[in-house]
Amino acid sequence: MKIAIDSCSVILLAKATVLEAVASNYDLLISDNVYKEILQGKDKKFIDALVTEKLVKDGKLKISKVKEAKIIKKLIRDFSLGIGEAETLAFVLGSQCEAISTDNKQGRKVAKIYNLNLIGSIDLIISLFKLKIIDNYKAISALKMLKEFGWFQDYLIDSALEEVKNV
């Protein structure tokens, strides 16, 4: 499955130390602007910027241009999205990807309005666990990191933690 992923999800998954596993098991696509946004942290040696750059160099995270520029402008205008979120949504709306991964509140709202296949960081961690790509210790650790670095409501993380612990 080809997944368009925005900077918010890339950064959170990198901080949770599972971005490499996600990129190795899913076909991830980011826009130029998302990549530039993430790399702003490279000078400060942010883990998300360094891991993302490595994954791009290794060909596990692909950068592409959005084919439907009109969609981007409409999304920015109608929903007050940033360029990265708009481009990520446009990948799916323009049929370049089958799903979108975003943890951005406004991006998730737009994905729901357009009835897109929406996958969050929590979902990706749980899927890695269910596919036995990561063990329960790694899944629990990653979810706790999302709780620390993300803006998730506690019940979402707690529910995911219960799912992992009960397997």
Side-chain angles (χ1 to χ4, degrees), residues 73-132:
K73 291 177 184 174
K74 180 176 175 29
L75 291 169
I76 291 171
R77 183 186 66 240
D78 292 352
F79 299 104
S80 301
L81 293 170
I83 185 75
E85 285 80 18
E87 288 177 339
T88 303
L89 284 157
F91 279 137
V92 184
L93 289 168
S95 300
Q96 286 177 261
C97 294
E98 295 131 326
I100 179 171
S101 180
T102 182
D103 295 301
N104 175 282
K105 185 177 179 180
Q106 189 69 357
R108 292 181 68 82
K109 181 169 83 175
V110 175
K112 288 177 183 176
I113 289 169
Y114 283 100
N115 199 31
L116 301 179
N117 186 4
L118 175 62
I119 305 167
S121 294
I122 294 170
D123 303 315
L124 288 168
I125 292 168
I126 295 298
S127 74
L128 291 175
F129 172 70
K130 286 182 175 178
L131 293 169
K132 300 184 185 310

Side-chain angles (χ1 to χ4, degrees), residues 27-167:
D27 190 6
L28 300 181
L29 187 68
I30 60 174
S31 70
D32 288 332
N33 284 307
V34 166
Y35 188 57
K36 287 175 192 170
E37 184 179 337
I38 295 165
L39 284 190
Q40 288 176 0
K42 186 178 172 188
D43 292 341
K44 296 177 185 172
K45 306 286 188 239
F46 288 165
I47 188 75
D48 50 274
L50 300 172
V51 170
T52 301
E53 184 178 51
K54 179 186 180 302
L55 291 172
V56 168
K57 285 182 181 176
D58 293 347
K60 292 182 179 178
L61 185 57
K62 294 169 187 74
I63 301 171
S64 184
K65 294 217 182 284
V66 179
K67 294 177 183 172
E68 301 290 333
K70 290 178 186 176
I71 295 173
I72 298 166
K73 291 177 184 174
K74 180 176 175 29
L75 291 169
I76 291 171
R77 183 186 66 240
D78 292 352
F79 299 104
S80 301
L81 293 170
I83 185 75
E85 285 80 18
E87 288 177 339
T88 303
L89 284 157
F91 279 137
V92 184
L93 289 168
S95 300
Q96 286 177 261
C97 294
E98 295 131 326
I100 179 171
S101 180
T102 182
D103 295 301
N104 175 282
K105 185 177 179 180
Q106 189 69 357
R108 292 181 68 82
K109 181 169 83 175
V110 175
K112 288 177 183 176
I113 289 169
Y114 283 100
N115 199 31
L116 301 179
N117 186 4
L118 175 62
I119 305 167
S121 294
I122 294 170
D123 303 315
L124 288 168
I125 292 168
I126 295 298
S127 74
L128 291 175
F129 172 70
K130 286 182 175 178
L131 293 169
K132 300 184 185 310
I133 295 163
I134 60 174
D135 62 17
N136 66 335
Y137 174 80
K138 181 69 171 179
I140 290 168
S141 173
L143 290 166
K144 286 181 177 179
M145 287 183 192
L146 284 187
K147 190 171 189 172
E148 179 181 344
F149 295 113
W151 305 272
F152 302 98
Q153 294 177 343
D154 287 342
Y155 81 91
L156 294 170
I157 300 289
D158 294 342
S159 175
L161 286 167
E162 282 301 312
E163 189 174 346
V164 170
K165 290 176 184 175
N166 290 331
V167 171

